[in-house]
Amino acid sequence: MKREYFSQGPRSDRRFAEQRSGTCMALIDGRFLIWMAQQGAVGTTGESVNRQGLLSLLSQALAHSGLDVDLRRIYWYSDRSDGLVIDDQIVRLVQAHDADGGASLLRSLGHDLKQLAEHHACDHVLVASDDERFLATIDEAQLSGLSVHLLADESARNMPQMVRTDPGWARLLAQADRRVVVNSQALADMLQGKVPTGMGLALEDVEELRKSMHEVVSAWWDEEPEDLREDLKDALQISRGIPQEVDRQLLLRMRQRLARALSLPEKKMLRETLRNVVTGPAVQPALEGLPPDADE
């Protein structure tokens, strides 16, 4: 039986209205990022950090906030030089926070945000800071047409509580076009030069993604004729790989469901989900992680 593996899925599976695209710059207060990595993470992130995986981690977090953007460059604001020279990252040296209360950072980051807005240098800016004094500058940039998003940890999911515990940061987050949540453990791992777990997602996001994959795979499996189902079961028993046409079909359906392409770790997670649906549940990986990076 000939199967149409590239047929368009129902429009109810798509969420294009939630997706926004364009170019993006990131303005990152290094001191704040280190503090955020220490919230709920196992192990301590010291003052010495590794920025090699920062662009990838931030890109993943942006994508899972419905921002299919091209992260062009990161500006890293710090009171010390780490000696790292990394493509698409520019270091801005500022005074130590203890010396001037963050005034130097406020001037430097605020100036860069204004320049990006005035020159229409990009469509989106991701800011990592909890300094409420940026509120007016962010508002001005937004009025010029720039979309400004703020990086936050999982506490941003409970804004009523944050209003009570940290009203200044709550006001700043409320000003953002979107709050881009990153998992503290993944952030801490990246800053220590480790491979981040969970793609930089909060546990709730990983679980939601796993649930979506299971729904898509189960719906596809229910549509398959009995003879093809038996053939696939047999194929998966003798091979670690997934038949190419099946892989393409499921990747397409997930792209329609999420309105974006899957990353490599997500593709492996989808293939593991297929195996669980077809051959029965195996031992599930921990929520904060993904299937092992074995080549398939």
Side-chain angles (χ1 to χ4, degrees):
M1 178 181 295
K2 184 178 180 180
R3 303 288 292 170
E4 178 53 72
Y5 284 104
F6 293 94
S7 60
Q8 296 297 314
R11 289 189 175 271
S12 60
D13 273 354
R14 305 177 194 172
R15 297 186 295 174
F16 293 115
E18 298 180 10
Q19 202 78 2
R20 298 179 64 185
S21 60
T23 57
C24 181
M25 304 286 189
L27 310 180
I28 307 298
D29 174 2
R31 177 177 176 271
F32 169 73
L33 203 70
I34 292 171
W35 172 85
M36 194 166 66
Q38 295 171 343
Q39 306 308 301
V42 177
T44 303
T45 300
E47 293 299 317
S48 178
V49 300
N50 189 319
R51 296 181 281 112
Q52 294 286 351
L54 184 56
L55 191 143
S56 176
L57 187 74
L58 295 181
S59 295
Q60 287 282 359
L62 285 162
H64 286 275
S65 294
L67 298 166
D68 186 19
V69 298
D70 176 14
L71 183 54
R72 295 283 182 87
R73 188 180 305 126
I74 295 172
Y75 290 88
W76 177 265
Y77 304 84
S78 177
D79 62 356
R80 65 188 66 192
S81 174
D82 54 21
L84 297 176
V85 179
I86 303 174
D87 290 345
D88 304 315
Q89 294 193 35
I90 295 175
V91 175
R92 298 274 204 243
L93 291 178
V94 298
Q95 291 292 318
H97 190 275
D98 291 342
D100 67 356
S104 175
L105 170 70
L106 188 67
R107 288 193 301 271
S108 184
L109 195 154
H111 173 268
D112 288 344
L113 180 56
K114 288 181 179 179
Q115 289 292 302
L116 292 172
E118 289 175 3
H119 295 284
H120 304 286
C122 55
D123 304 300
H124 304 264
V125 171
L126 175 65
V127 176
S129 175
D130 64 344
D131 195 326
E132 188 186 2
R133 292 175 292 179
F134 284 119
L135 189 58
T137 307
I138 290 174
D139 186 39
E140 184 179 344
Q142 290 169 321
L143 289 172
S144 74
L146 189 63
S147 294
V148 181
H149 317 290
L150 283 172
L151 196 69
D153 64 358
E154 290 90 340
S155 64
R157 297 182 181 279
N158 190 344
M159 288 299 291
Q161 180 177 345
M162 183 174 289
V163 168
R164 296 189 298 270
T165 59
D166 196 344
W169 195 23
R171 284 190 289 270
L172 191 64
L173 287 172
Q175 181 69 34
D177 287 279
R178 296 197 183 182
R179 285 141 295 282
V180 178
V181 175
V182 65
N183 177 259
S184 297
Q185 187 65 59
L187 183 58
D189 289 344
M190 184 277 299
L191 291 177
Q192 295 177 65
K194 302 176 183 177
V195 177
T197 57
M199 303 170 295
L201 303 181
L203 298 184
E204 295 89 341
D205 292 329
V206 176
E207 179 61 22
E208 185 64 28
L209 180 60
R210 195 189 306 281
K211 179 181 177 183
S212 295
M213 287 183 177
H214 190 272
E215 290 174 353
V216 167
V217 172
S218 295
W220 171 84
W221 183 241
D222 290 342
E223 296 170 5
E224 288 294 284
E226 186 62 31
D227 58 336
L228 293 182
R229 287 162 60 127
E230 291 300 322
D231 289 344
L232 182 56
K233 282 183 180 180
D234 292 341
L236 293 183
Q237 292 292 338
I238 61 176
S239 172
R240 295 183 64 247
I242 303 298
Q244 191 175 41
E245 66 275 15
V246 173
D247 201 37
R248 285 198 300 261
Q249 168 69 352
L250 293 177
L251 288 172
L252 177 61
R253 291 197 178 200
M254 282 306 304
R255 185 185 185 109
Q256 293 170 341
R257 176 71 170 257
L258 302 176
R260 65 173 177 81
L262 296 183
S263 66
L264 180 59
E266 291 170 336
K267 290 177 181 178
K268 292 181 178 181
M269 185 177 177
L270 179 63
R271 291 160 187 156
E272 182 66 26
T273 301
L274 173 65
R275 284 189 171 275
N276 290 340
V277 169
V278 173
T279 64
V283 177
Q284 290 288 337
L287 289 182
E288 65 270 24
L290 289 172
D293 289 339
D295 292 331
E296 298 198 359

